[in-house]
Amino acid sequence: MRAERRIVGLDFSGAATAGRTIWLAEGRERRGMVAIDSCRSALALPGGGAMRTLALPAVIRHLRSLGPAVVGCDFPFSLPVGLDGAFDSRGWRGLLTDFPARYRSAEAFRDACRTLCNGRELRRLCDFEAKVPFCAWNLRLYRQTWHGIAEILRPLVLEADAVVLPMDEADPTRLWLVEVCPASFLKRIRLYESYKGRSADQRAMRETILSRLVADRLLAPPSPQIERTLLDDVGGDALDAAIAAVITWRNHKDGTLDKRPRTEAEALEGRVYF
């Protein structure tokens, strides 16, 4: 049953033109590796477009069409337990339910968190564990956090299309959503160097990362077309989606995703898989 579940890596963006920088890498396990058979931006999804207002609904529709797949998403799923008022007796579900009403925009979300923390960037315990680069409302991440929680997680979970792990039970009939961090993975394998950009050195680093994934038998050698996509995307988003798929597959194969929260904090904050 593990091998049958489709594996998806979602590199997310909350930018106004998010359709160009949201990428999905999809595949299945083959011969003990994840084999990617599709890698495309939200711009290329049916009904998608460059603008966020078109891209996010297209992503939702596509994820709903996958059935019982497992999707590794590169954005924060929750907030720190130390943030005043973040959680009530309903726990993480309460945060998810109230999120767009409590924080009416990405900018309002960042402002509120900065005010509550006196400008500090408070991190979750899972952020420390995974050594993620930024907190949920960092200037480079806050749009991803707000749009990811409000416009991806919330509709999929509240309309019963998906469960979020490890907070929810791993219902085998539904879509599974997990939080992953490609940057944390690259730190772990000591390849966290500049690979996003147009320079020859940055392309060479994308080639190095891809070669390492294949050499370590985490990723099946991609087709020439998909390899070009992963290397030619100068923003590194296509490659990040592939890394997200690798992380997702590896944890799924090991049975890590099926495990319930290890602590009370993890039941609220979630877990970053890497």
Side-chain angles (χ1 to χ4, degrees):
M1 289 297 293
R2 292 188 188 279
E4 294 174 2
R5 189 170 281 262
R6 191 157 179 79
I7 304 297
V8 182
L10 171 61
D11 186 61
F12 192 66
S13 171
T17 56
R20 302 184 189 278
T21 49
I22 293 175
W23 282 78
L24 298 98
E26 305 178 36
R28 296 184 185 277
E29 182 174 330
R30 188 180 71 204
R31 299 178 182 175
M33 297 173 281
V34 62
I36 294 175
D37 54 42
S38 170
C39 187
R40 53 183 166 168
S41 69
L43 181 65
L45 293 175
M51 300 307 295
R52 186 178 59 226
T53 51
L54 292 175
L56 298 193
V59 170
I60 288 285
R61 289 192 299 270
H62 181 68
L63 295 182
R64 282 176 170 150
S65 75
L66 294 175
V70 54
V71 185
C73 307
D74 182 17
F75 62 83
F77 280 18
S78 190
L79 300 177
V81 292
L83 183 68
D84 289 343
F87 301 99
D88 58 22
S89 60
R90 295 170 296 167
W92 178 79
R93 285 269 175 158
L95 170 72
L96 187 69
T97 301
D98 297 346
F99 195 82
R102 179 180 296 172
Y103 311 109
R104 295 188 177 276
S105 68
E107 286 67 30
F109 163 66
R110 174 170 160 79
D111 289 345
C113 292
R114 283 177 53 79
T115 298
L116 287 169
C117 295
N118 295 316
R120 293 181 300 118
E121 296 200 341
L122 189 65
R123 299 191 182 213
R124 300 170 295 172
L125 295 179
C126 57
D127 292 333
F128 287 110
E129 181 181 65
K131 298 180 181 179
V132 303
F134 308 111
C135 91
W137 56 86
N138 176 272
L139 184 62
R140 298 179 62 176
L141 193 62
Y142 75 97
R143 292 186 183 90
Q144 284 179 234
T145 303
W146 192 89
H147 290 284
I149 295 176
E151 299 188 316
I152 298 294
L153 295 189
R154 191 173 184 275
L156 287 173
V157 172
L158 297 188
E159 294 173 29
D161 295 298
V163 294
V164 170
L165 307 180
M167 293 84 122
D168 295 326
E169 292 278 358
D171 184 338
T173 67
R174 294 187 186 177
L175 186 72
W176 294 358
L177 304 175
V178 297
E179 181 181 343
V180 302
C181 183
S184 297
F185 173 82
L186 292 174
K187 288 180 182 179
R188 184 174 186 178
I189 65 171
R190 301 181 185 277
L191 285 178
Y192 189 54
E193 299 183 35
S194 178
Y195 65 99
K196 299 174 181 283
R198 299 180 179 276
S199 75
D201 286 346
Q202 288 163 328
R203 182 184 176 86
M205 182 51 62
R206 292 196 292 275
E207 292 173 350
T208 297
I209 293 168
L210 181 57
S211 297
R212 176 69 176 276
L213 295 178
V214 173
D216 287 354
R217 295 188 59 78
L218 298 172
L219 181 68
S223 69
Q225 179 181 359
I226 289 179
E227 181 176 348
R228 284 195 301 273
T229 298
L230 298 178
L231 298 179
D232 290 349
D233 174 43
V234 297
D237 303 304
L239 183 57
D240 280 346
I243 296 170
V246 166
I247 297 167
T248 304
W249 163 76
R250 189 171 187 179
N251 282 276
H252 178 47
K253 180 183 179 182
D254 293 347
T256 308
L257 303 185
D258 302 55
K259 296 178 180 178
R260 297 311 308 279
R262 297 167 295 180
T263 63
E264 292 183 10
E266 190 169 272
L268 297 173
E269 294 184 338
R271 185 174 179 184
V272 180
Y273 298 91
F274 63 98

